[in-house]
Amino acid sequence: MKIQIFRLWQSGKSTIGKIVIPGKFECFCLELPDRGNQRNISRILAGTYKAEIYRSRKFGKCIRLEDAHGRTYILIHVGNWPRNTRGCILPGTRAGKDAVYNSRLALRKLMKVVGDAKEITVEVIDELERIS
């Protein structure tokens, strides 16, 4: 299963994009802004990553990206604001400036589409516009 993340715009506090499984699923997502791939304060680098279904003690069933350019435990998990992530990707059904909404619903729908897929790839694509 291939999941694509299209980064659409960035402010000083966040990056807003879309999570897409072509023909099957689409929602918004929130990441931190680009701060040089620094752990806990930056989004990950654009690229293609292997991923797996993961059960987090804190977030429950989610998706974990593997080998994210020296970063570990990069998850797609619930959350709404930049303070809810330390480099992870937060899904939402709607987006505002520096926020996504209905994250639990978006993650639940994403996980339903992903199902028990054994092979998952996540492709992160920069198509950014800068907003103030």
Side-chain angles (χ1 to χ4, degrees), residues 82-98:
R83 70 177 178 262
N84 300 134
T85 180
R86 292 171 45 189
C88 295
I89 301 158
L90 311 177
T93 62
R94 293 183 307 116
K97 186 172 185 229
D98 301 321

Side-chain angles (χ1 to χ4, degrees), residues 52-116:
E52 65 180 357
I53 296 170
Y54 179 73
R55 183 152 312 270
S56 162
R57 284 185 277 163
K58 183 173 182 179
F59 301 110
K61 190 174 180 183
C62 56
I63 296 171
R64 181 175 72 175
L65 282 63
E66 300 173 7
D67 191 27
H69 297 282
R71 306 272 298 277
T72 58
Y73 290 96
I74 301 298
L75 307 176
I76 299 175
H77 68 74
V78 297
N80 300 98
W81 300 279
R83 70 177 178 262
N84 300 134
T85 180
R86 292 171 45 189
C88 295
I89 301 158
L90 311 177
T93 62
R94 293 183 307 116
K97 186 172 185 229
D98 301 321
V100 290
Y101 304 100
N102 303 314
S103 186
R104 289 187 196 286
L105 175 61
L107 183 63
R108 189 168 46 246
K109 288 181 176 183
L110 173 62
M111 296 308 294
K112 185 175 182 180
V113 172
V114 171
D116 292 325

